[in-house]
Amino acid sequence: MSLTVAVDANGGDHGIRVSIPASLAALRKHPSLSLILCGAEAELRAALAREKAGNLQSRITILNATQTVDSNEPPVQALRGKKNSSMRRAIDMVKEKRADACVSAGNTGALMAMARFVLKTLPGIARPAIFATLPRMGGRVHVLDLGANVESPPELLLQFAVMGAILVRYVEGKPAPTVGLLNIGVEDIKGNETIKQAAELMRASNLNYTGFVEGDAIYTGDVDLVVCDGFVGNVALKTSEGLAQMLNHILREEFRRNFMRKLSALCAMPVMRAVKQRTDHRRYNGATLLGLRGIVIKSHGSADALGFRHAIDQAVREVNNRVPQHIESELRSMLAVGEGEGEASE
């Protein structure tokens, strides 16, 4: 199956210095993949020449974009004033069905605003959510929302759970993924009214809902999908990233403290490499803006080439597994919703 992904080549902290080598690596990994690189045409062609793209250029289309969305640009300003940006052009390619998905490392708020305006939400979905995969003891876990919606009423949390469960089912091949609702305790009396009402809705649905989970269960538990609002999810994610960085710093600091510890570090090197590979955040890069009428993947803004390539890999997986189509086809039976257009206006 051939597929095409549009890449916002100018987005993120590093722009084409990362997006071009990552794109070429993705083309080498996926023989059926073609890319539309959106950005300043002259710069893109020069970068492809430097990276010695060779025969891979036959699977690359360059789409000139004269604007770039800044990392701190307000979403509304980007939506209204950056219609010829590399980010907007990449999303437009999905809307026009010239691409099956798009990937961007750019401004998250602007990407969400543009994608929601251009692509609209799926029938029955009020707002999209940010869905990501994280490492955990014995495997990995899927979490949403990670920052798209600061406040989420119970009905929206149910929609997140439904969408996330469908994605896990088809991408991970799990027929009935378990779903947990993030809370300050596992007892039914814990949590605010929003969480308690969301739990009732999930119990009444045909989700494989297992109950409340606490924060530690993200990394030590056994549920496949953890659901929360975007405020809590983003705080949990950033806290986890900071903890990982701190532990890595402490290990390096302690191993360098004296000669004997440096010697022991050499002996421990195979184990340390294995631990680093299992917890390497770059290998989990690529968050899905779930709930749109199209596939949009958000790469971390500071991702290197390996991380950005993994974001493209995630787009390929979702295209091959027809994630939006499965969500749309299953929503009526799971949520008992009728037809309706996703709302958003410029």
Side-chain angles (χ1 to χ4, degrees):
M1 171 185 171
S2 61
L3 67 150
T4 301
V5 173
V7 174
D8 170 12
N10 285 355
D13 298 346
H14 308 296
I16 62 174
R17 287 178 294 162
V18 160
S19 63
I20 297 305
S23 295
L24 296 177
L27 289 170
R28 294 185 188 100
K29 182 179 179 182
H30 304 285
S32 61
L33 174 65
S34 295
L35 296 177
I36 301 174
L37 301 181
C38 304
E41 183 173 1
E43 294 178 8
L44 291 177
R45 293 195 183 281
L48 289 170
R50 284 195 304 272
E51 295 292 332
K52 298 180 174 58
N55 294 335
L56 294 176
Q57 292 199 67
S58 64
R59 291 155 59 197
I60 294 173
T61 300
I62 293 178
L63 184 64
N64 189 46
T66 59
Q67 297 173 306
T68 300
V69 176
D70 296 331
S71 60
N72 58 353
E73 193 163 356
V76 173
Q77 181 177 307
L79 177 62
R80 292 176 176 172
K82 294 293 180 71
K83 296 180 181 179
N84 197 37
S85 64
S86 54
M87 179 185 290
R88 178 64 177 263
R89 298 302 301 274
I91 296 170
D92 286 343
M93 292 300 95
V94 179
K95 173 67 174 180
E96 296 169 16
K97 300 191 183 305
R98 292 174 59 185
D100 301 293
C102 81
V103 178
S104 173
N107 182 320
T108 303
L111 183 67
M112 180 64 80
M114 286 186 183
R116 189 176 176 187
F117 173 73
V118 173
L119 300 176
K120 306 297 187 284
T121 54
L122 289 166
I125 296 300
R127 283 178 263 163
I130 298 177
F131 171 103
T133 301
L134 303 173
R136 69 134 50 120
M137 289 168 52
R140 53 189 184 173
V141 62
H142 311 278
V143 187
L144 83 169
D145 177 22
L146 291 176
N149 305 277
V150 174
E151 294 182 359
S152 303
E155 295 77 14
L156 194 58
L157 291 172
L158 174 63
Q159 290 180 16
F160 295 166
V162 169
M163 293 191 296
I166 293 171
L167 190 153
V168 174
R169 183 186 313 150
Y170 286 100
V171 174
E172 300 292 332
K174 295 187 175 183
T178 53
V179 178
L181 186 60
L182 192 61
N183 197 4
I184 58 172
V186 298
E187 300 86 357
D188 290 342
I189 61 171
K190 295 288 182 71
N192 56 34
E193 286 305 310
T194 297
I195 293 296
K196 291 176 182 178
Q197 291 174 27
E200 290 300 319
L201 292 175
M202 292 184 194
R203 288 191 193 98
S205 73
N206 58 359
L207 291 166
N208 189 8
Y209 176 66
T210 62
F212 294 138
V213 295
E214 294 182 281
D216 62 334
I218 295 176
Y219 297 102
T220 64
D222 56 6
V223 295
D224 299 309
L225 178 69
V226 176
V227 179
C228 55
D229 65 50
F231 184 91
V232 172
N234 192 264
V235 170
L237 176 65
K238 297 301 172 58
T239 301
S240 303
E241 291 176 350
L243 175 62
Q245 291 171 13
M246 183 195 72
L247 292 175
N248 189 41
H249 174 79
I250 289 174
L251 283 172
R252 290 200 311 268
E253 190 175 65
E254 292 300 324
F255 274 130
R256 293 170 180 171
R257 194 169 292 278
N258 56 49
F259 174 77
M260 289 304 296
R261 291 194 178 188
K262 289 179 181 178
L263 188 61
S264 65
L266 290 175
C267 298
M269 194 63 69
V271 174
M272 297 301 297
R273 285 201 187 102
V275 171
K276 183 177 181 180
Q277 182 166 359
R278 286 181 61 180
T279 59
D280 188 351
H281 67 278
R282 299 175 301 170
R283 300 179 184 276
Y284 297 88
N285 186 45
T288 306
L289 304 192
L290 199 57
L292 297 168
R293 296 175 186 256
I295 296 170
V296 178
I297 305 296
K298 171 65 174 73
S299 167
H300 200 292
S302 62
D304 63 7
L306 176 62
F308 197 91
R309 196 216 75 202
H310 275 275
I312 298 176
D313 291 345
Q314 179 65 23
V316 171
R317 282 191 292 270
E318 294 192 23
V319 171
N320 285 336
N321 288 283
R322 305 179 70 249
V323 170
Q325 294 90 334
H326 284 302
I327 292 175
E328 185 169 9
S329 66
E330 294 189 23
L331 275 174
R332 290 186 189 85
S333 60
M334 296 188 76
L335 290 175
V337 298
E339 288 287 352
E341 294 290 325
E343 91 300 337
S345 59
E346 193 165 14

